[in-house]
Amino acid sequence: QVQLVESGGGSVQAGGSLRLSCSVSGDVWSKIIYCMAWIRQGPGQERETVAAIDADGDTKYARDVEGRFAISKDNTKSMVYLQMNSLKPEDTGRYYCAVDATDDCFYSKHFTREAESLFGYWGQGTQVTVSS
């Protein structure tokens, strides 16, 4: 079993920064293939993957956050992080940490509308609100 718990959300003004953390417990860290991601759901919007990292540490980003957000992981602490800089009001939403324990990260899979069904493990999410 894999359990995920997010923290670090909050309210910030546009241009500010936040760092989200996700504690990932379970045997996923022993796998050689997995995709860990941060997924955002804005008000009245569908969930969208904003950043992902695989077992090798390769990272991928949605176009609208590239250069502003950075995903990282610490295997020794079983943690995944999302550093968010230059935040914009459109970054507002609930941010979920999720894991696909069966595959590496692919733009063609994990950044599409069908991505939600690929991630078998989810946290409860943490709210991020960016005011203008």
Side-chain angles (χ1 to χ4, degrees):
Q1 288 292 338
V2 178
Q3 293 184 325
L4 300 90
V5 179
E6 303 95 335
S7 61
S11 297
V12 64
Q13 288 192 328
S17 298
L18 282 174
R19 188 194 195 204
L20 306 183
S21 299
C22 177
S23 172
V24 183
S25 62
D27 62 0
V28 64
W29 294 101
S30 65
K31 294 180 178 294
I32 60 173
I33 295 177
Y34 58 73
C35 180
M36 296 183 177
W38 287 96
I39 297 169
R40 173 176 68 198
Q41 186 168 23
Q45 298 180 359
E46 296 180 351
R47 293 180 179 179
E48 58 175 345
T49 305
V50 297
I53 187 167
D54 65 20
D56 291 335
D58 293 332
T59 58
K60 291 179 170 61
Y61 298 94
R63 189 170 298 177
D64 64 335
V65 307
E66 192 151 20
R68 299 189 298 121
F69 290 12
I71 187 172
S72 61
K73 63 185 177 79
D74 186 334
N75 291 35
T76 64
K77 297 181 179 179
S78 300
M79 297 290 293
V80 181
Y81 305 100
L82 185 67
Q83 178 66 44
M84 303 186 294
N85 300 323
S86 302
L87 282 162
K88 304 175 181 180
E90 51 263 43
D91 294 319
T92 293
R94 192 160 188 84
Y95 284 71
Y96 297 88
C97 181
V99 174
D100 174 1
T102 67
D103 207 351
D104 285 331
C105 304
F106 295 93
Y107 279 114
S108 60
K109 294 180 180 181
H110 297 94
F111 286 78
T112 67
R113 287 189 174 183
E114 290 70 37
E116 190 168 343
S117 64
L118 298 176
F119 292 102
Y121 303 99
W122 292 77
Q124 294 299 307
T126 186
Q127 180 67 32
V128 171
T129 302
V130 185
S131 58
S132 58

